[in-house]
Amino acid sequence: MATPLRLGILGSCVSRDMAELHRECTVAFYVARQSLISAASPPTEVPETVDLPSAFQRRMVVADLRSEALDLLEDHAPDLDVLVIDLVDERLGVVPLAEGAFATDSQELKESGVKDLLRPVSDDVELGTPEHFRRWKDAARAVLARLEAAGLRDRSVVLRVPFASRTRDGVSVPPYMQRSAAEWDDAFRPYYAFLRELGLPVVELPPELALGDADHRWGLSPYHFVPEAYAWLLAELRRVVGLDEPSEDGDWVDQQYIRVPLSLPVAGIRNPATAGTVRLPLHLRADVTRWRLRVTNLDERTGRLAPGRVEISGMWVGRASSPGAFDAAPSRRMGRRRLPGGKRGLVTPWFDDPIGDGDWMVSLGWSADPGRRTVVTLADAYRGPDPSTADRPEATGLTASRYVPLSWAVEVETCDAVPVVVAWGDERCLSAATAAELGDSALSRLAREMRAVPVHSVFPGTGLALWADYQSQWEHFAVATPATEVFHVMGMRDVIAGASLERLRELFTDTLPRLENSFGPHVNAVLLDTPPPSPAGLSEVVTAYNDWLLTTFAGPVYRLQDDAFTKVRDALVAEDPITSGTPLSRGSTS
């Protein structure tokens, strides 16, 4: 694990969220809603009452009026590893007051009624105007002098974040204060350039990571980002100040977020039930530091939401014992929640207790409007008709089930030294067993041996033919960093459905580059299973396809035997006599 960091924050919720999302960070002090102009100006009188519902909001307004930021950073300087500065709250502008004082024109200042009590000496000064930039430059010089005096200059890093114009799903982020993301970025550009001129290091978030997060706890906003953005900022901050630690192989260890599907879409099945209990076993064997659950009523095949309201009566977590049962009373982690509208679904808070190193299970009660349908998915699950059984240790009334309501995924946080293995294909990615498919699959077994995170991207129903041209699945289950191993598992359903040898080749070559783009370049081809004696003619197609794959695919080839991946051969080398055919280059579609 990375060395813990003790941070001071002179900035906004961007820096705070970066720290709060990572347990390696502790925050010694946090100053928000305070422009550098206000911080470097004389204090002003504070009213006896600052009427705001939040203690944090009251503290920020009082600290701004008293211009306390620089005194705070001097008080905490000896204890800080890094002082983080960001300029996002400069968007608010300032209110000019008597005797050279300024107040930051925050929403809290207005809502508290304090702004009405102040006596401005002129109009508010907005970000981007010549007057604001002139005064801000003078303030920045004053702040830098205080950093020098406190011995913090070499431990100070500036975070620059482009405002987000869209989410990961391509949804537009509403403009803020009637300015678009591009307009805000243009307004901020000279401010960050000036800090660079003063010699402060500036960590700039790549535009491709500047994505709004519809699941952010404070809502969708141009400066509320996806978790990957905060992880990148922290990793780069550690690098700039020389505090990152190499792993055993010499690579830098960063945090990563991996969405692990616990259920997978099934085509053409309706769910007759309107309520029940679902228990989802968790078989991760990895260094999982935090996790949260995602629930949607979304058909991954079509990208459409099922109509009707769905409620989760509660969520319980505990160690699993016998099939479907807990070894003791499970702990309650979430109360009653309704699945929100839109494709983002329900996302629980982050939980800090790991879910590896043992067999765990998540239990949820659910109900839907009568007469409404829910999406049906394939899962490693136990299911019953009564939501009230969700909190009981025993498995009475529950049965192992391949089909469950709703789509379920767990998102886990690890460091990137933890391996990730992915299998993409149809049901043979799971298991030939009648229950606990995800946990007992070849992929899960391999992951446990490697202490890796297994990602099952399985799309059953009619085989790969259904999914070859479906784009959303590749984005939905893509991993942020390349997986350690990726298995391309063709299935018998395509053969049974009458796919020709030419069609099987087309499916493989079409999906290969998509696997590489979504999961990483380390793709292992998996041979088709030998079919049963009937129906007639299938054996010839399977044999011809396997011969083609062995002859043309340049990477490692595996076979699924006894629910385990068995290597048939390693990657081909130039002198290998088996290369009599034309090798299929990685990324090729023909």
Side-chain angles (χ1 to χ4, degrees):
M1 296 296 291
T3 303
L5 291 180
R6 188 167 174 82
L7 304 180
I9 296 174
L10 181 56
S12 72
C13 59
V14 171
S15 298
R16 179 207 59 202
D17 290 346
M18 177 196 71
E20 287 189 353
L21 280 171
H22 298 87
R23 294 198 301 165
E24 65 189 82
C25 296
T26 58
V27 178
F29 74 92
Y30 169 39
V31 177
R33 320 294 198 275
Q34 190 165 158
S35 167
L36 294 191
I37 297 175
S38 173
S41 73
T44 193
E45 184 177 351
V46 178
E48 291 185 5
T49 302
V50 178
D51 187 14
L52 286 167
S54 161
F56 167 77
Q57 292 175 324
R58 292 193 294 272
R59 287 198 307 271
M60 293 303 100
V61 170
V62 170
D64 179 61
L65 294 173
R66 292 176 176 169
S67 300
E68 291 181 342
L70 302 185
D71 291 337
L72 275 172
L73 71 85
E74 284 186 346
D75 291 342
H76 290 277
D79 303 323
L80 297 183
D81 294 310
V82 184
L83 173 67
V84 181
I85 303 170
D86 75 72
L87 306 183
V88 172
D89 281 352
E90 297 290 351
R91 72 191 189 279
L92 303 169
V94 291
V95 181
L97 303 172
E99 300 179 357
F102 287 88
T104 306
D105 193 19
S106 65
Q107 187 65 27
E108 291 82 359
L109 185 75
K110 301 168 187 173
E111 291 178 357
S112 67
V114 171
K115 186 175 182 180
D116 296 334
L117 304 177
L118 300 176
R119 297 181 178 178
V121 297
S122 63
D123 293 339
D124 297 348
V125 183
E126 294 186 0
L127 176 83
T129 61
E131 181 183 358
H132 187 281
F133 189 44
R134 175 176 58 81
R135 292 187 179 278
W136 185 87
K137 287 193 294 183
D138 291 340
R141 293 187 187 98
V143 170
L144 188 63
R146 295 286 289 271
L147 294 179
E148 292 266 18
L152 276 174
R153 175 164 180 157
D154 293 339
R155 288 177 283 154
S156 299
V157 178
V158 179
L159 302 185
R160 180 182 181 182
V161 290
F163 275 35
S165 61
R166 62 181 180 87
T167 67
R168 192 200 314 272
D169 297 327
V171 177
S172 296
V173 178
Y176 179 77
M177 293 173 62
Q178 299 182 339
R179 293 193 194 186
S180 68
E183 289 171 329
W184 280 113
D185 292 342
D186 287 342
F188 273 111
R189 187 169 290 108
Y191 294 79
Y192 287 106
F194 186 73
L195 292 182
R196 282 196 176 96
E197 291 177 13
L198 294 180
L200 289 175
V202 178
V203 169
E204 185 167 354
L205 183 69
E208 60 269 21
L209 287 179
L211 299 172
D213 186 1
D215 299 328
H216 196 284
R217 62 174 178 167
W218 302 120
L220 185 60
S221 165
Y223 45 86
H224 293 161
F225 299 102
V226 293
E228 296 92 327
Y230 300 114
W232 187 94
L233 287 170
L234 180 61
E236 189 66 8
L237 181 150
R238 296 183 67 96
R239 186 192 66 79
V240 167
V241 296
L243 289 174
D244 40 9
E245 291 186 342
S247 61
E248 292 181 1
D249 59 4
D251 294 331
W252 300 116
V253 177
D254 300 330
Q255 295 299 111
Q256 63 180 351
Y257 296 87
I258 305 162
R259 186 174 298 180
V260 181
L262 297 179
S263 68
L264 308 155
V266 178
I269 298 177
R270 290 181 175 270
N271 179 28
T274 58
T277 288
V278 173
R279 291 187 177 176
L280 302 160
L282 298 174
H283 297 271
L284 298 177
R285 296 292 188 275
D287 182 14
V288 173
T289 55
R290 301 195 310 164
W291 64 281
R292 63 184 180 182
L293 190 70
R294 292 177 175 268
V295 187
T296 59
N297 199 17
L298 175 68
D299 186 340
E300 296 289 352
R301 182 177 60 88
T302 64
R304 296 177 181 175
L305 288 163
R309 294 183 301 177
V310 178
E311 284 193 346
I312 303 297
S313 60
M315 181 179 81
W316 290 263
V317 178
R319 288 190 178 273
S321 56
S322 58
F326 294 102
D327 65 358
S331 62
R332 184 171 180 170
R333 300 301 181 86
M334 186 183 72
R336 182 177 298 275
R337 297 278 297 276
R338 177 177 293 176
L339 266 67
K343 296 181 180 180
R344 66 188 180 92
L346 171 66
V347 184
T348 71
W350 284 103
F351 301 111
D352 287 336
D353 50 334
I355 53 177
D357 298 322
D359 291 337
W360 294 75
M361 194 158 50
V362 176
S363 182
L364 301 101
W366 71 279
S367 61
D369 287 346
R372 298 292 188 178
R373 66 183 177 87
T374 58
V375 167
V376 176
T377 55
L378 179 71
D380 170 5
Y382 300 92
R383 187 178 65 170
D386 185 358
S388 67
T389 63
D391 63 339
R392 299 175 186 172
E394 66 274 7
T396 304
L398 301 176
T399 57
S401 175
R402 293 194 62 146
Y403 300 111
V404 295
L406 311 175
S407 295
W408 309 87
V410 63
E411 190 171 52
V412 299
E413 177 192 74
T414 72
C415 65
D416 67 4
V418 172
V420 178
V421 291
V422 175
W424 185 92
D426 75 7
E427 293 97 320
R428 285 293 283 148
C429 288
L430 298 180
S431 173
T434 57
E437 290 88 358
L438 292 177
D440 290 342
S441 71
L443 187 75
S444 293
R445 293 180 181 184
L446 178 63
R448 286 197 291 272
E449 293 174 3
M450 299 172 57
R451 294 196 61 81
V453 173
V455 178
H456 295 77
S457 291
V458 182
F459 295 88
T462 57
L464 297 184
L466 177 65
W467 304 101
D469 298 322
Y470 181 53
Q471 295 292 336
S472 298
Q473 53 148 325
W474 303 104
E475 301 171 1
H476 186 70
F477 293 123
V479 294
T481 56
T484 309
E485 299 286 350
V486 182
F487 293 91
H488 187 306
V489 188
M490 294 285 281
M492 283 304 300
R493 288 186 179 270
D494 292 294
V495 181
I496 294 173
S500 64
L501 174 61
E502 290 72 22
R503 178 57 175 155
L504 293 175
R505 291 176 178 177
E506 179 184 347
L507 288 172
F508 183 89
T509 55
D510 177 66
T511 51
L512 178 61
R514 304 188 194 195
L515 259 70
E516 293 172 330
N517 291 336
S518 297
F519 303 121
H522 308 295
V523 176
N524 304 280
V526 180
L527 300 177
L528 280 172
D529 296 335
T530 302
S534 60
L538 297 188
S539 179
E540 290 78 4
V541 175
V542 169
T543 301
Y545 170 80
N546 288 344
D547 288 344
W548 171 82
L549 196 62
L550 283 165
T551 305
T552 59
F553 182 67
V557 178
Y558 282 75
R559 184 186 299 278
L560 267 169
Q561 289 182 317
D562 300 323
D563 290 332
F565 290 116
T566 303
K567 183 175 286 190
V568 176
R569 64 157 169 77
D570 295 321
L572 298 179
V573 293
E575 63 270 20
D576 195 321
I578 204 170
T579 57
S580 56
T582 303
L584 180 69
S585 61
R586 294 301 180 89
S588 170
T589 57
S590 61

